[in-house]
């Protein structure tokens, strides 16, 4: 008679090896862009800083800085993008901006004011004494939104007499 043998098997559930989780990677770069490099009066620019790691998970801060004044204009503590909308200014030289995260500094972005131009026209170039001449001055930007910071002045260069000051248009 054949002898049966029973084999005994035991099963053990396999568990993944225990590994220490590594800390989140710190940002390795920061980049700054603008949607406008030149601002006409009443326009604004949007500055956007981008990095490759979520600053919330690394306890980092993305900052957008006005290098010209030294002021930090915006700080972001979450995500990989920090956006500053409505950057504008009426006067002065171009402004330089950078973004920072940890010890990294982005490329510089320059935003400048659009230069003013004014054209002066006359309705006639030949006229007799006592005749009226219509002079029209036209600016490439609206001086009316500057709260008096800018105006158009028509003056007689020979006498120095101001003929008209326009604070709008």
């Amino acid at each position: 008679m054949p002898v049966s043998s029973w084999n005994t098997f035991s099963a053990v559930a396999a568990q993944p090896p225990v590994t220490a989780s590594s800390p989140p990677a710190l940002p390795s770069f920061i980049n700054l862009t603008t949607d406008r490099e030149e601002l006409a009066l009443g326009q604004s620019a949007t500055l956007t800083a981008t990095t490759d790691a979520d600053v919330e998970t690394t306890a980092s801060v993305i900052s957008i800085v006005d290098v010209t004044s030294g002021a930090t204009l915006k700080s972001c503590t979450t995500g990989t993008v920090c956006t500053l909308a409505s950057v504008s200014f009426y006067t002065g030289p171009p402004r330089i901006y950078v973004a920072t995260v940890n010890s990294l500094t982005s490329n510089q972005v320059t935003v400048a004011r659009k230069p003013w131009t004014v054209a002066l026209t006359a309705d006639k170039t030949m006229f007799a004494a006592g005749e009226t001449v219509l002079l029209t001055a036209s600016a490439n930007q609206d001086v009316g939104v500057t709260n008096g910071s800018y105006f158009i002045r028509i003056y007689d260069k020979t006498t120095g007499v101001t003929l008209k000051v326009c604070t709008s248009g």
Side-chain angles (χ1 to χ4, degrees):
M1 196 158 179
V3 175
S4 29
S5 65
W6 292 88
N7 289 331
T8 309
F9 296 97
S10 53
V12 176
Q15 295 192 3
V18 176
T19 57
S21 63
S22 54
L26 293 173
S28 64
F29 75 88
I30 183 91
N31 185 51
L32 185 64
T33 60
T34 182
D35 65 336
R36 236 184 218 117
E37 294 179 352
E38 185 177 81
L39 302 178
L41 198 59
Q43 290 182 326
S44 62
T46 298
L47 302 177
T48 304
T50 307
T51 189
D52 62 340
D54 185 341
V55 292
E56 183 175 26
T57 62
T58 61
S60 301
V61 176
I62 300 172
S63 297
I64 298 176
V65 179
D66 181 340
V67 175
T68 309
S69 69
T72 297
L73 304 176
K74 182 147 187 195
S75 296
C76 298
T77 57
T78 61
T80 59
V81 176
C82 185
T83 301
L84 175 62
S86 300
V87 172
S88 63
F89 52 96
Y90 287 128
T91 62
R95 305 268 173 92
I96 300 169
Y97 302 95
V98 296
T100 62
V101 63
N102 299 332
S103 62
L104 303 173
T105 301
S106 73
N107 53 300
Q108 292 185 346
V109 168
T110 302
V111 178
R113 283 277 306 119
K114 182 176 183 176
W116 286 93
T117 59
V118 178
L120 182 65
T121 59
D123 67 340
K124 52 186 145 185
T125 55
M126 300 293 288
F127 51 92
E131 278 188 279
T132 302
V133 176
L134 177 63
L135 300 175
T136 304
S138 302
N140 67 336
Q141 300 174 68
D142 183 3
V143 296
V145 298
T146 68
N147 296 324
S149 294
Y150 289 90
F151 53 88
I152 299 171
R153 178 172 67 112
I154 300 174
Y155 70 98
D156 183 324
K157 190 172 181 179
T158 304
T159 64
V161 172
T162 297
L163 305 174
K164 180 77 175 179
V165 174
C166 302
T167 57
S168 64

